[in-house]
Amino acid sequence: MVRQNPDVILIGEMRDGESVEAGLMAAETGHLVLGTIHASSAAQTLSRILDFFPAERQDLIRQTLVFNLKGIICQKLVPSSKKELGVVPTVEIMLTNPSIQKLIQMKEDKKITEVMRSATDEGMQDFNLSLLQLIKKGLTTKEIALEYSPNPEQLKMHLQGIFLSEERKIIG
């Protein structure tokens, strides 16, 4: 797989278990591995990775992710309110802290977004916080943000100034 001695390995798109496994093996040996995968959220990214493997290997893959995964960044492009821009990225950021590691290990991937929302001081954010920032910067409209939001009701609350205390820190 690796003919030289790179510090960073980029896997353009992980479409099968072989490419994911190669990335995991490289990460275990100390390489920084960056890869792309088509998924709509951090939690779905984990599910997609695990789906590449048979059920009897998924616990081992989860354990490997617990020790080697540093983060997941998901991006969606939404129409901009500024015609010259066309589209702007909204970004979900999950960093692997001890709470995230425990959720991955315990197979509680659905709770990951909750942890991300409560860890904005660590640099995490969900799509709604990112959309709110785009609205505040005038880069998109409330209507567009609500259309692209994975949780429009929560975004409506944010627009009214209702946040978890940790979420308020990132908005300012």
Side-chain angles (χ1 to χ4, degrees), residues 70-84:
K70 300 301 177 205
I72 296 174
I73 300 173
C74 295
Q75 172 184 281
K76 294 179 185 179
L77 297 176
V78 299
S80 176
S81 55
K82 298 185 183 263
K83 291 186 196 267
E84 66 273 11

Side-chain angles (χ1 to χ4, degrees), residues 29-75:
T29 61
H31 295 85
L32 173 62
V33 179
L34 305 171
T36 63
I37 191 166
H38 288 277
S40 62
S41 69
Q44 188 191 41
T45 300
L46 292 169
S47 294
R48 294 284 315 271
I49 289 169
L50 292 165
D51 286 347
F52 288 128
F53 299 94
E56 63 271 6
R57 293 202 54 215
Q58 289 184 4
D59 286 343
L60 177 61
I61 298 301
R62 274 187 185 279
Q63 197 63 32
T64 303
L65 289 169
V66 165
F67 291 121
N68 296 291
L69 181 67
K70 300 301 177 205
I72 296 174
I73 300 173
C74 295
Q75 172 184 281

Side-chain angles (χ1 to χ4, degrees), residues 5-168:
N5 190 15
D7 295 324
V8 180
I9 298 172
L10 173 64
I11 301 175
E13 188 170 342
M14 296 184 288
R15 293 184 183 203
D16 54 38
E18 185 179 340
S19 60
V20 172
E21 194 161 25
L24 289 171
M25 285 176 27
E28 285 183 310
T29 61
H31 295 85
L32 173 62
V33 179
L34 305 171
T36 63
I37 191 166
H38 288 277
S40 62
S41 69
Q44 188 191 41
T45 300
L46 292 169
S47 294
R48 294 284 315 271
I49 289 169
L50 292 165
D51 286 347
F52 288 128
F53 299 94
E56 63 271 6
R57 293 202 54 215
Q58 289 184 4
D59 286 343
L60 177 61
I61 298 301
R62 274 187 185 279
Q63 197 63 32
T64 303
L65 289 169
V66 165
F67 291 121
N68 296 291
L69 181 67
K70 300 301 177 205
I72 296 174
I73 300 173
C74 295
Q75 172 184 281
K76 294 179 185 179
L77 297 176
V78 299
S80 176
S81 55
K82 298 185 183 263
K83 291 186 196 267
E84 66 273 11
L85 293 178
V87 294
V88 290
T90 182
V91 181
E92 180 175 77
I93 301 170
M94 183 208 82
L95 302 173
T96 311
N97 66 11
S99 297
I100 295 288
Q101 288 174 318
K102 185 172 183 177
L103 291 176
I104 293 170
Q105 192 168 28
M106 303 301 289
K107 302 178 186 178
E108 296 185 22
D109 304 343
K110 293 181 193 249
K111 294 181 181 178
I112 286 174
T113 303
E114 291 173 36
V115 171
M116 290 167 47
R117 286 187 194 126
S118 67
T120 57
D121 58 333
E122 295 178 41
M124 294 194 225
Q125 72 177 17
D126 68 358
F127 279 118
N128 278 340
L129 287 178
S130 180
L131 287 166
L132 185 61
Q133 291 171 0
L134 292 176
I135 293 167
K136 289 185 178 269
K137 292 176 183 176
L139 295 173
T140 197
T141 65
K142 292 177 185 177
E143 295 76 22
I144 291 170
L146 287 167
E147 181 182 338
Y148 283 82
S149 171
N151 186 341
E153 292 305 313
Q154 181 199 45
L155 182 56
K156 286 178 187 175
M157 290 175 56
H158 287 354
L159 289 167
Q160 295 173 18
I162 302 169
F163 302 90
L164 292 171
S165 61
E166 294 83 2
E167 290 174 332
R168 184 173 299 285

